[in-house]
Amino acid sequence: MATRQRESSFTSCSSTSSCDADDEGVRGTCEDASLCKRFAVSIGYWHDPYIQHFVRLSKERKAPEINRGYFARVHGVSQLIKAFLRKTECHCQIINLGAGMDTTFWRLKMQASPIQPHSRTAFRGHTSDGLPTLLIAECVLVYMTPEQSANLLKWAANSFEVAMFINYEQVNMGDRFGQIMIENLRRRQCDLAGVETCKSLESQKERLLSNGWETASAIDMMELYSKLPRAEVSRIESLEFLDEMELLEQLMQHYCLCWATKGGNELGLKEITY
């Protein structure tokens, strides 16, 4: 089963209009990410026949390092999802937190995974029928305060007996490159309220372990890129020329993929790695 959750009870705001104003910058980053994905798909980085229905094709050409970064992100998350589906033999449910315009559900359905959509009420608390549950958060937690994201992680760990959590977001944000990223987003009225948890891979893992998860792993996207199948790397690198490898490395070293597990010893969830 798969669920796309757009709303969360882990944030609060004094009024609807205030919430709308605060969320405008975040919604803007969602659209930007979707535009970048659409462009990368259009020149052959990966196959996604669904994204065209969510966002227009940008007339602006995206930089090669941006396209490769999104390829690594999509590939990395997809590999962990596939590993979870293999371990559970698809007898599971998937909750995509803050899914926005993400097309994961339809891409999984295209790959003949036996999944069906369900409303957000299907997984409130203990109504999950004991199914192993995969929760996905891509650039979601960083927009919450540390307390709010901790509450969400605790809720997930307490609600599902057998579970895995995938988190993709910023890391190593204490250096100059990270500060420039933060300043650029602030100029767009988009504040990274949870950036203090993005100091390092260790701080990312510690947040998961301190909120009810039994195992936690993290890898920055440059290391993940180095682990991609060589044939696939050769294919995407032939799509367009990149003249500044250093910029790609800087960018990828400031994003990470983290995953945590709880229970599922008999399924081998703890064995999932990248």
Side-chain angles (χ1 to χ4, degrees), residues 239-253:
L239 294 174
E240 52 185 346
F241 177 68
L242 174 66
D243 59 355
E244 291 190 38
M245 189 65 182
E246 182 180 354
L247 184 56
L248 174 67
E249 291 175 351
Q250 281 187 317
L251 182 65
M252 303 270 262
Q253 287 167 356

Side-chain angles (χ1 to χ4, degrees), residues 20 23 44 66 82 90 94 104 119 135 152 172 203 206 210 220 224 229 234 249 251 256 260 262 267:
D20 288 344
D23 290 345
I66 299 297
K82 290 175 183 177
C90 292
I94 300 176
T104 297
S119 71
L135 300 102
L152 187 151
N172 298 324
S203 67
E206 176 56 31
S210 63
D220 74 52
L224 185 148
S234 297
E249 291 175 351
L251 182 65
C256 67
K262 179 197 171 191
L267 298 175

Side-chain angles (χ1 to χ4, degrees), residues 10 144-154 193-194 196-197 211:
F10 303 98
M144 302 178 181
T145 66
E147 294 77 17
Q148 290 168 335
S149 64
N151 287 338
L152 187 151
L153 291 169
K154 287 176 184 175
E196 69 179 71
T197 59
N211 287 297

Side-chain angles (χ1 to χ4, degrees), residues 110-243:
M110 177 180 67
Q111 296 163 10
S113 298
I115 57 177
Q116 296 294 330
H118 287 263
S119 71
R120 66 191 298 268
T121 58
F123 55 87
R124 285 182 178 172
H126 303 286
T127 60
S128 63
D129 299 323
L131 284 172
T133 301
L134 173 63
L135 300 102
I136 306 168
E138 294 188 56
C139 290
V140 171
L141 304 186
V142 72
Y143 296 113
M144 302 178 181
T145 66
E147 294 77 17
Q148 290 168 335
S149 64
N151 287 338
L152 187 151
L153 291 169
K154 287 176 184 175
W155 164 82
N158 293 334
S159 296
F160 307 106
E161 184 177 349
V162 177
M164 179 174 173
F165 199 104
I166 297 174
N167 179 40
Y168 171 86
E169 65 180 357
Q170 291 87 343
V171 74
N172 298 324
M173 294 296 281
D175 64 12
R176 181 58 185 157
F177 191 92
Q179 290 303 308
I180 292 174
M181 289 174 63
I182 293 170
E183 291 165 9
N184 288 340
L185 285 167
R186 281 179 179 162
R187 279 196 289 269
R188 299 177 56 189
Q189 285 73 53
C190 184
D191 186 40
L192 301 182
V195 73
E196 69 179 71
T197 59
C198 302
K199 292 179 181 177
S200 66
L201 294 177
E202 288 304 315
S203 67
Q204 288 280 8
K205 290 189 290 185
E206 176 56 31
R207 174 171 57 175
L208 292 161
L209 293 172
S210 63
N211 287 297
W213 295 86
E214 296 170 359
T215 71
S217 302
I219 184 174
D220 74 52
M221 298 309 290
M222 195 64 223
E223 183 179 354
L224 185 148
Y225 190 81
S226 71
K227 294 176 179 290
L228 292 174
R230 289 300 91 193
E232 193 68 348
V233 171
S234 297
R235 182 187 69 79
I236 66 167
E237 290 186 349
S238 69
L239 294 174
E240 52 185 346
F241 177 68
L242 174 66
D243 59 355

